[in-house]
Amino acid sequence: MRYLYYGLVVMVGYLTLTMTPLLVLLAGPDIPGRGFWRELSVGLGFAGLSMMGLQFFLTGRFQGITSPYGIDVVYHFHRAISLVAFTFLLLHPAILLLSAPATVGLLNPLSAPGWMTGGTIALFAFALLVVSSLYRLQLGLGYEQWRIIHGYAAVIGVTLALWHIIGVNYYLQGYVKRGLWIAIVFTWVMALLYVRLVKPLLMKRRPYTVAAVIKERCRSWTLVLRPEGHAGMEFKPGQFAWLTIGKSPFAIREHPFSFSSSAMHPEQLAFTIKELGDFTATIGGVTPGTRAYIDGPYGSFTPDRHTVPGYAFIAGGVGITPIMSILRTFADRHDRRPLLLFSVSRNLEEVTFREELELLQNQLNLKVVHVLTKPPPDWTGEQGYIDAGMIGRHLPEERMAYEYFVCGPTPMQQGVRAALEQLGIPPEQVQSESFNFV
Amino acid sequence: MREKYSVHLALATGCLIFLVTTLFALLQSPELLATAGQGEVAMPHPLVAHQKCDNCHGHAGIRPYPIRHLGWSNTSCPKCHLPPAIAASSPAALDSKDEAATRAERQAGRSALSGPEDNGLRPEKKAGPIPHPLTGREECLTCHDTRKGFMPAPPDHAGWQKESCEGCHSRSGEAEK
């Protein structure tokens, strides 16, 4: 409930911050309107810019913003609200041109004032930002390339858009309005500086060293990190962090990975990573002694937010990683609550942490159900895609009191959620996180 | 599901912001609101010395305005309600005429609020000076009430408060002596 109220506060704060620049326009001396359509166009321009400026906060991984919802929700919101903001920004010139066709001349950079051309370029920068995010894979952009384009296009777009409104100089007349807008822009700049400068500097003061690189089953590797000159990182089991491997925390090569180690040992952190993309394919080549930096912890996928009499976990492939962190933490805490784990893999050879899961069944009140999608002929356990019948066969009668954690590929998450719904499990008792952003 | 939730949240937020933006545009287009309602109403009296419209036309004033006008400042009134000289030359269909000219006229009407000079806003017939000293006679309506006074003001003065008299009728210096 605390998170619900806090989430509402964050949402109201977001709306207030978005609308404040618009309301500021009406403050102070009366500025006559110039017709409904023109004012709607101008209002949409201001609102769109305000929303774009606030993206620096949404993507800044501020704990205060991400904790009530989970960072995945905030990032998906960032993606969706950017499209809304871009639509507003597109409507700004479109409505203006339709209501006053003579203004088309302002699009000619040879005759238009500089601030007008600045506005046009800003719109193109925002278009680049949106298109490169929606079609990154189709455009053949690597993750790092996309991040560079994204960052520069955002800063250029917002800066030129500000030049545009200052150049138009209609609603920003007077010290009050100018002062308020300067204050608003100042907060955007501060958010950007914090993310790009202050946070990396703080990370630089808390470096880690790769202590071991352990090969796991199914093309996965576990990186064990030890803090250098500090106590490490406190986190909750199931959470994740952005990991930078290399000499500088300012590098753009940072990627989100779940902790796989016990939260009871912040002095020895572990991330288990599967070879899936450009960066992860190189993980096995990381040598012990390499410097690393961690930005975190993040995420709401943790049982510590839900105190219930029992938990059920459904993990697909490397989705076992955060659940492994939870199980290891429960073992260290001597937690005796009943736990049920569905581990979905193609075959037993690909079950990451298979041996340790066997051991944990002795330490915890844990039942592990292996579900194989391509089982050997002599397999007598569960097989095929996970469904309501399969889950129902293993769930205890007090299933309604359980909290459910699902981690794996998106289609599996959707299937499991549907299955749990068929079993009558309320959706709010099913936890999952989705990181399919770009 | 969490992605859908985020998208729905973003769409709801976007709709709300669009609504506020539309309200902003409407607030900046009072002529549109007036047209959508009952049309522009010409001022039945000159503006000279009556710049504080809400003295009489507040929601609870002696000539109350419609409740939808609540929150409008005095400077906004002449955006829709034209003073007599302007109203006579361009009644309701202002937008069908040359907009630039109309805006200029409105601008002239607005500037009249900061000073009582020219712009054709003076009453057509100049009001006469007050023929007697005012000391001890500040309650104009005691004698000049349009219905009960022993020297009643003309019927078109009905409803004017005593504070308004000097807006048109100037004190006579000699009489004051």
Side-chain angles (χ1 to χ4, degrees), chain B residues 81-97:
Chain B
H81 303 280
L82 302 184
I86 297 171
S89 62
S90 59
L94 287 168
D95 285 341
S96 63
K97 291 189 172 185

Side-chain angles (χ1 to χ4, degrees), chain A residues 148-293:
Chain A
I148 291 169
I149 292 172
H150 202 74
Y152 279 109
V155 173
I156 290 170
V158 169
T159 307
L160 291 180
L162 282 170
W163 181 31
H164 175 70
I165 60 169
I166 290 169
V168 173
N169 195 28
Y170 188 75
Y171 274 111
L172 294 195
Q173 295 169 24
Y175 293 115
V176 176
K177 287 178 188 178
R178 286 212 168 195
L180 285 170
W181 260 91
I182 287 169
I184 289 165
V185 173
F186 181 74
T187 59
W188 299 348
V189 174
M190 284 295 105
L192 186 66
L193 285 179
Y194 175 76
V195 173
R196 297 287 169 225
L197 197 66
V198 177
K199 193 181 259 192
L201 279 174
L202 293 174
M203 284 163 62
K204 197 170 176 60
R205 293 172 60 182
R206 296 175 67 83
Y208 291 80
T209 302
V210 176
V213 182
I214 303 163
K215 184 165 175 50
E216 306 284 358
R217 289 174 179 275
C218 194
R219 294 182 293 118
S220 298
W221 299 85
T222 294
L223 290 187
V224 181
L225 306 182
R226 291 222 173 85
E228 273 185 40
H230 59 95
M233 180 175 284
E234 299 273 350
F235 67 96
K236 290 186 172 65
Q239 287 192 302
F240 70 96
W242 259 268
L243 177 65
T244 305
I245 295 176
K247 288 184 179 175
S248 169
F250 293 94
I252 205 86
R253 288 173 68 94
E254 57 169 359
H255 299 262
F257 296 114
S258 293
F259 292 101
S260 57
S261 54
S262 167
M264 304 303 285
H265 295 289
E267 76 287 354
Q268 180 169 297
L269 307 176
F271 297 90
T272 301
I273 301 160
K274 188 172 183 177
E275 294 176 8
L276 288 171
D278 296 344
F279 174 74
T280 52
T282 66
I283 286 293
V286 175
T287 52
T290 304
R291 182 64 62 88
Y293 299 93

Side-chain angles (χ1 to χ4, degrees), chain A residues 11 14-15 18-19 30-31 33 35-36 39-40 43-44 69 72-73 76-77 80-81 84 88 171 300 417 432, chain B residues 1-3 5-7 9-10 13-14 16-18 20-22 24-29 31-32 75-76 79:
Chain A
M11 202 61 228
Y14 176 82
L15 284 170
T18 308
M19 293 175 192
D30 187 30
I31 294 181
F36 175 77
E39 294 304 328
L40 181 65
L44 287 171
Y69 297 98
D72 61 325
V73 168
H76 284 302
F77 179 79
I81 204 73
V84 174
F88 284 8
Y171 274 111
S300 56
R417 277 191 169 274
S432 61
Chain B
M1 167 150 177
R2 290 170 71 82
E3 192 173 345
Y5 167 70
S6 312
V7 171
L9 197 62
T13 307
L16 199 58
I17 294 169
F18 186 84
V20 172
T21 309
T22 309
F24 162 78
L26 280 171
L27 281 173
Q28 287 297 84
S29 316
E31 65 277 7
L32 192 72
T75 52
S76 293
K79 287 178 183 170

Side-chain angles (χ1 to χ4, degrees), chain B residues 69-113:
Chain B
H69 285 37
L70 269 178
W72 290 81
S73 66
N74 289 332
T75 52
S76 293
C77 304
K79 287 178 183 170
C80 295
H81 303 280
L82 302 184
I86 297 171
S89 62
S90 59
L94 287 168
D95 285 341
S96 63
K97 291 189 172 185
D98 178 23
E99 193 180 343
T102 308
R103 297 276 171 222
E105 283 180 338
R106 287 171 183 229
Q107 207 64 44
R110 195 174 298 115
S111 67
L113 291 173

Side-chain angles (χ1 to χ4, degrees), chain A residues 264-425:
Chain A
M264 304 303 285
H265 295 289
E267 76 287 354
Q268 180 169 297
L269 307 176
F271 297 90
T272 301
I273 301 160
K274 188 172 183 177
E275 294 176 8
L276 288 171
D278 296 344
F279 174 74
T280 52
T282 66
I283 286 293
V286 175
T287 52
T290 304
R291 182 64 62 88
Y293 299 93
I294 299 174
D295 176 21
Y298 297 103
S300 56
F301 187 81
T302 172
D304 286 7
R305 287 174 67 146
H306 311 276
T307 307
V308 290
Y311 298 94
F313 307 99
I314 300 103
V318 78
I320 189 72
T321 304
I323 291 164
M324 205 60 202
S325 171
I326 294 169
L327 296 178
R328 284 169 169 164
T329 306
F330 279 3
D332 284 342
R333 290 176 182 169
H334 305 288
D335 197 311
R336 294 305 298 168
R337 284 177 290 181
L339 309 170
L340 174 63
L341 167 65
F342 291 90
S343 171
V344 185
S345 305
R346 281 205 289 192
N347 54 58
L348 276 180
E349 291 308 307
E350 294 193 1
V351 179
T352 316
F353 303 120
R354 194 179 85 197
E355 291 79 7
E356 191 174 347
L357 286 173
E358 297 299 322
L359 290 173
L360 284 169
Q361 286 191 91
N362 299 326
Q363 292 180 44
L364 293 163
N365 186 3
L366 168 69
K367 176 184 173 187
V368 179
V369 178
H370 288 291
V371 181
L372 304 183
T373 54
K374 291 189 177 173
D378 58 341
W379 176 251
T380 55
E382 297 290 358
Q383 57 184 285
Y385 291 109
I386 200 160
D387 59 16
M390 189 188 293
I391 298 173
R393 275 196 293 277
H394 297 278
L395 281 178
E397 284 187 22
E398 60 273 21
R399 60 188 64 176
M400 299 305 288
Y402 272 41
E403 199 74 21
Y404 296 77
F405 289 81
V406 188
C407 190
T410 305
M412 191 206 87
Q413 287 192 26
Q414 290 169 344
V416 169
R417 277 191 169 274
L420 290 172
E421 198 173 336
Q422 284 178 30
L423 291 168
I425 309 297

